[in-house]
Amino acid sequence: MPGATVEETGREVTNMCGIVGYTGPREAGPVLMDGLRRLEYRGYDSAGIALVTENGDLFVEKRAGKVAVLQDALGADTPRAGVGLGHTRWATHGRPSDLNAHPHSDCTGRISVVHNGIVENFRELRDELAAKGHVLASETDTEVVAHLVEDAYRGDLADAVRAALRRLEGAYALVVMHRDEPDRLVGARLNAPLLVGLGDGESFLASDASALVAYTKRVIFLADGDVADLRPGTATITDIAGKPVDRPIDVIPWSAEAAEKGGYAHFMLKEIHEQPAALRSAMAGRVRGDNVCIEEIDALRDRFINVSRVELIACGTAYYASLVGAQLFQDWLGVPARANVASEFRYSPPPLDARTLVVAVTQSGETADTIAAARLARERGSMVIAVTNTVGSAITREAHASVFLQAGPEVAVAATKTFVTQVVTLVMLAADIAQQLGRRTKAEEDELVRALRALPEAAERAIELAAVTEEMASRYAEAAGFMYIGRAFGYPAALEGALKIKEISYLHAEGYAAGELKHGPISLLDADVPLVAVATRSPVYDKLISNLMEGKARDARVLAVATEGDKQIEQLATDVCWVPDTLDPLSTILAVIPLQLFAYYVAVARGRDVDQPRNLAKSVTVE
Ligand code: AGP
């Protein structure tokens, strides 16, 4: 089946790799290495550069590991060169290795390519190129681009790149260089960020302003479909057909440090805003035509018919995402399914056998308890699927198959975009398996696909609507604590909202199943302890409203997260954060967005270290 274009699933994907390119009078090697170091704050798994040296050779060095490993391999000096490109990779296809690191070359060793994005039809293109005699060395989707350019090259690099682009489906920010055109760089963008930097007699390309603001603040933000043809100090922009287009030159007001955060005050805020793009990335190539298909589980498909129970294992935020997954596996597969806190799993394991499907959910892929639980399940003969953001992480070695979130690196300790991508990935995983087993109707599947396609835009709208949380936070920041409640798919959102408040504002918060309120915690509510209620449109809405009223009757201020157009809640709640309507299983994703922003602004109002809260580590690698 041909790969779906990204237009079908949405627009921009997350910025998963760092790209930098240079042409001009400086030594290109140090400029590129400096750019890569500035891009590395997001945490990458391999790095590489290519230069056209003053002798006319194409020099390439690339290494798995951090930029420091590449620097060690290069030594103190790079070959003299005025043009080059560099890349820090965050793996989506193929494990982190020297071979899979970018740049990638063609058969002749004259062309060099770096890429951020996903070439969705790369398997087809790879087979086609191999049939023509091309030898592809790596497991990456990117390498096909170098060979397509090689095929199309007739002495003009920009023409060849445009011809290659016409064959690609998916998302890309690309920079391409040819040994025989030694002062030229060609860049192109579709649904992945790329900008041109214009200095005095020198030009840059970068995926992120942080790589070039130290040299120039004059930039052109490329639009989708743009091809930029760079020579020192100039850039000519055309569309894919070669027709010139005009793009304004902007001046970036940011310092290098602010540029790393894309102009946001904190990584957490940046990552909250990246969620629509992260959702698009997570769905890229998986929401195809009118169904959902996760290729990574293909090798296990014969075994799903025997699955009699599903156990999800995870910690923290990933556990809350797993609560959504458990509801869906149970509803859609019609077998018992349960989310387990990984740190408890080994001490009271459920029956585990070959008929148990275990889904280990972990952003980092390195959480010690989740790994140990997955190992136990595997030892007992269960089938283990990892859902993780990190290619090559420890959990991928424990699992029979790994499904990647494709969310891009998350720097802030408080998880945000990886929560929403965990939820959407579990939705897709459950839907795919249920569909294969014939346990869902075509109408149900169609309804889900429609809702998934609309989700990134709905997330954008939820972010816009949540602008009110900044002012609200100033009124709630001095609360003594918070009580968060939700039911069904609103319950994991309540738990996650409470966790966000706890970890970054250091205020106590409880996340509770709303029906449990009366069984104890309601005694905590008073004028100083507000009730935060996830009251989006759902089959449990009326019951949730009753719980909300119980809080109101105890003098608690009530902050409700509700679906746009709900007239009733406006009369009942002290404050309302609106979110767009969506399918019930996806409502957790939209409901959590205002809760993330509320927690963020409360923490800022309280002067907390938002990105690195006290006592916490991004990944908990000890039990
Ligand atoms: C959430 O904001 C935390 N960073 C934490 O709860 C985290 O989700 C948990 O430690 C699990 O991490 P993992 O997804 O990398 O396994």
Side-chain angles (χ1 to χ4, degrees), residues 315-318 361-365 367 370 413-415 422 499-500 503 618 620:
C315 298
T317 290
V361 186
T362 162
Q363 181 282 132
S364 61
T367 297
T370 310
V413 166
Q422 280 164 351
L499 179 63
K500 292 296 88 127
E503 62 182 336
K618 182 68 183 158
V620 182

Side-chain angles (χ1 to χ4, degrees), residues 13-95:
V13 298
T14 36
N15 202 5
M16 290 194 257
C17 300
I19 289 179
V20 59
Y22 177 77
T23 177
R26 298 181 204 243
E27 278 298 329
V31 173
L32 299 175
M33 291 304 291
D34 180 47
L36 295 188
R37 273 189 289 271
R38 289 176 191 279
L39 291 168
E40 200 189 20
Y41 64 92
R42 294 179 283 184
Y44 289 93
D45 51 47
S46 57
I49 61 167
L51 303 165
V52 178
T53 69
E54 60 181 9
N55 303 328
D57 298 326
L58 184 69
F59 167 87
V60 180
E61 187 65 76
K62 50 188 197 165
R63 295 287 157 144
K66 296 188 177 231
V67 174
V69 177
L70 175 65
Q71 186 66 69
D72 283 350
L74 287 166
D77 298 316
T78 46
R80 290 182 67 81
V83 64
L85 43 80
H87 189 268
T88 51
R89 176 169 183 253
W90 198 84
T92 55
H93 284 95
R95 334 191 111 252

Side-chain angles (χ1 to χ4, degrees), residues 588-613:
T588 320
I589 292 172
L590 300 184
V592 84
I593 289 173
L595 300 181
Q596 294 166 339
L597 282 163
F598 180 68
Y600 170 80
Y601 286 118
V602 168
V604 170
R606 294 176 68 85
R608 301 306 188 209
D609 184 349
V610 171
D611 284 335
Q612 288 176 321

Side-chain angles (χ1 to χ4, degrees), residues 189-222:
R189 109 156 236 166
L190 183 72
N191 301 321
L194 190 66
L195 65 158
V196 173
L198 290 173
D200 191 8
E202 58 187 356
S203 304
F204 302 78
L205 278 160
S207 52
D208 184 323
S210 61
L212 53 75
V213 281
Y215 302 96
T216 181
K217 296 199 168 183
R218 294 173 64 234
V219 300
I220 300 169
F221 291 100
L222 296 176

